[in-house]
Amino acid sequence: MKLSKKKPIIGLDIGTHTIKMAEVVSTKSGYRLTGIGMARIPPDALVEGQIQNPEVLVRTIKSLFHNLKFKVRNIATSISGYSVVVKKINVPRMTEDALAENIRFEAEQYIPFDINEVNIDFQILEQPKEESMADAAFDRMEVILVAAKNDIINEYVELIDKAKLTPSVVDVDAFALENVYDTNYDYDEEAAVALVDIGASQININIVQGGLSIFTRDAPTGGNQITLEVAREFGIDYEEAEQMKLGYNLDKNKLIALEDIFIAAATAWSREIKQALDFVSGSLRGGKISRLVLSGGSSLIPGFAQYMARESGIPVEHIDPFAKLSFDSRKIDAEYLKAIAPQAAIVIGLALRRVGDK
Ligand SMILES: Nc1ncnc2c1ncn2[C@@H]1O[C@H](COP(=O)(O)OP(=O)(O)OP(=O)(O)O)[C@@H](O)[C@H]1O
Ligand SMILES: [Mg+2]
């Protein structure tokens, strides 16, 4: 485990259903969780990554920060969805510095937005050995391109400013997920692993191998789909539907109808996920994806993990974002951590960043 001496940071995951905040500090004996909390927000405050009601978000962030008694004000947050593009691209072989100069030119054709309105980052992938490559291919190299619209980054930065905090890192959900996975699970150079976060309004798929993302995709669906369907089916409001979905106030008939809704969602989600797995498996060095690691609140719908395992033929497990984190059990309840573990994956990935990280 690599420990960073850089300045600490508070992770802030602004989900469409729940805002999460956590602090992880580096100590001599490893990472230590010093605080974590989450708070619900109304379903229309943040829609498809677009901030609709900044006041509610600012208020929620402020009260979480206050309640958790954090001292550090530096924040690492993340964005995802339509305004972020993560792509593996192929460019002429050049040094990192040269690519930094040329990346806008190289990236332009891959980005569905005006190149002048995006923030760009990249990582050069380790190239296969020379002798195994055709001469023509040797002139080129693979690069992971990350582009995010400036206006969306600015919106998040402004939000954090308004909460009287300091925006230090703006990450991408998929990379935060990869970070929490890398920290908590033993490293296997060869195995490809699918990290899948199912939240309220999006499914985030990130396939990693050798410590790098080789594929990411966001699909605009999630637990909200179930809540809305439950509300429609039973003629109740969103809040009641949310309660019912979590198993409150159920009689036998309702349970059967609810199960049908779960099954419909699970089928659609697993199809979406499997499509991504199949797409990547085709081009995978070393063959197949060795496991699927689920996170996000909606990955908890009853039977989903088992269903996904059957459909994909790959072992499926829920992530434990706290596996290698110590904490003071007088201050943080172990049962609470267990209950929120899947929802906490991204915020812990963010809390593990340090000021100065990209
Ligand atoms: N035990 C559970 N069973 C089924 N669904 C659950 C359970 N716990 C939470 N959920 C659902 O998970 C969703 C919230 O999960 P999460 O906090 O990961 O979403 P989010 O990060 O706010 O959303 P997004 O990432 O899509 O913006 C809600 O739709 C909630 O109803
Ligand atoms: Mg989320």
Side-chain angles (χ1 to χ4, degrees):
M1 197 186 311
K2 204 179 88 210
L3 288 184
S4 169
K5 289 229 166 56
K6 285 189 231 168
K7 275 164 91 181
I9 219 162
I10 305 288
L12 170 65
D13 174 14
I14 308 173
T16 52
H17 182 270
T18 313
I19 297 187
K20 299 96 174 161
M21 239 183 190
E23 184 182 47
V24 174
V25 298
S26 309
T27 71
K28 270 194 225 99
S29 52
Y31 288 116
R32 188 170 183 78
L33 177 70
T34 55
I36 183 164
M38 45 190 220
R40 282 277 315 270
I41 52 169
D44 50 4
L46 181 65
V47 179
E48 289 173 6
Q50 308 282 326
I51 295 170
Q52 306 290 340
N53 188 342
E55 290 75 30
V56 138
L57 299 181
V58 167
R59 217 181 312 128
T60 310
I61 293 168
K62 273 182 157 173
S63 77
L64 262 176
F65 184 82
H66 178 79
N67 293 340
L68 289 165
K69 301 189 172 70
F70 288 143
K71 301 281 180 311
V72 171
R73 303 193 88 84
N74 297 309
I75 298 289
T77 194
S78 58
I79 53 177
S80 61
Y82 163 77
S83 305
V84 188
V85 173
V86 180
K87 250 198 181 111
K88 190 153 85 173
I89 65 170
N90 196 280
V91 302
R93 184 170 294 271
M94 63 181 98
T95 63
E96 189 164 351
D97 287 347
L99 186 56
E101 296 264 323
N102 287 301
I103 189 73
R104 282 186 179 271
F105 173 76
E106 292 295 340
E108 192 156 15
Q109 56 178 309
Y110 300 103
I111 296 175
F113 322 119
D114 182 342
I115 191 79
N116 298 309
E117 291 172 7
V118 295
N119 187 300
I120 291 192
D121 197 359
F122 66 87
Q123 179 157 21
I124 299 174
L125 293 180
E126 199 181 305
Q127 304 304 308
K129 296 277 172 292
E130 268 175 63
E131 51 272 21
S132 67
M133 300 192 66
D135 285 349
F138 183 59
D139 294 336
R140 308 194 60 87
M141 62 183 187
E142 287 186 322
V143 169
I144 297 280
L145 170 72
V146 187
K149 284 178 93 172
N150 287 332
D151 53 5
I152 193 102
I153 298 178
N154 293 342
E155 272 186 31
Y156 277 73
V157 164
E158 212 172 285
L159 196 69
I160 294 168
D161 274 335
K162 278 200 196 129
K164 304 244 162 17
L165 300 169
T166 312
S168 299
V169 174
V170 180
D171 203 339
V172 174
D173 282 2
F175 297 158
L177 205 55
E178 182 179 345
N179 197 27
V180 72
Y181 177 78
D182 283 348
T183 301
N184 285 291
Y185 290 78
D186 293 327
Y187 195 76
D188 181 341
E189 182 66 48
E190 277 309 311
V193 175
L195 307 176
V196 177
D197 187 276
I198 310 179
S201 54
Q202 69 176 359
I203 299 185
N204 218 289
I205 304 168
N206 187 11
I207 298 177
V208 299
Q209 187 173 38
L212 283 173
S213 258
I214 54 172
F215 172 92
T216 75
R217 176 184 289 166
D218 295 341
T221 180
N224 259 342
Q225 184 196 340
I226 299 179
T227 313
L228 294 173
E229 185 57 27
V230 170
R232 203 189 56 83
E233 173 79 26
F234 297 100
I236 52 182
D237 69 19
Y238 183 90
E239 219 33 67
E240 288 170 312
E242 181 72 33
Q243 292 300 313
M244 191 163 164
K245 181 171 111 176
L246 300 180
Y248 299 103
N249 311 323
L250 283 178
D251 60 32
K252 187 130 184 274
N253 288 334
K254 282 182 180 164
L255 189 63
I256 291 168
L258 189 63
E259 266 170 9
D260 285 343
I261 297 173
F262 281 164
I263 290 168
T267 309
W269 299 349
S270 77
R271 202 176 299 140
E272 185 81 40
I273 296 164
K274 192 148 179 301
Q275 210 175 49
L277 300 182
D278 290 344
F279 178 82
V280 172
S281 293
S283 64
L284 212 57
R285 70 183 143 88
K288 86 191 226 10
I289 293 167
S290 65
R291 59 176 158 172
L292 201 158
V293 182
L294 290 174
S295 61
S298 302
S299 70
L300 291 172
I301 67 168
F304 180 71
Q306 292 85 332
Y307 181 74
M308 195 64 237
R310 230 176 21 243
E311 289 296 298
S312 64
I314 298 174
V316 175
E317 63 193 296
H318 278 100
I319 198 164
D320 178 6
F322 310 115
K324 295 215 175 138
L325 270 49
S326 65
F327 60 91
D328 182 345
S329 57
R330 286 163 306 179
K331 292 197 181 116
I332 299 175
D333 179 18
E335 285 304 311
Y336 173 69
L337 289 189
K338 215 164 159 190
I340 64 163
Q343 276 181 280
I346 288 175
V347 77
I348 296 298
L350 291 169
L352 288 163
R353 300 290 188 207
R354 293 296 174 255
V355 176
D357 285 357
K358 280 208 280 194

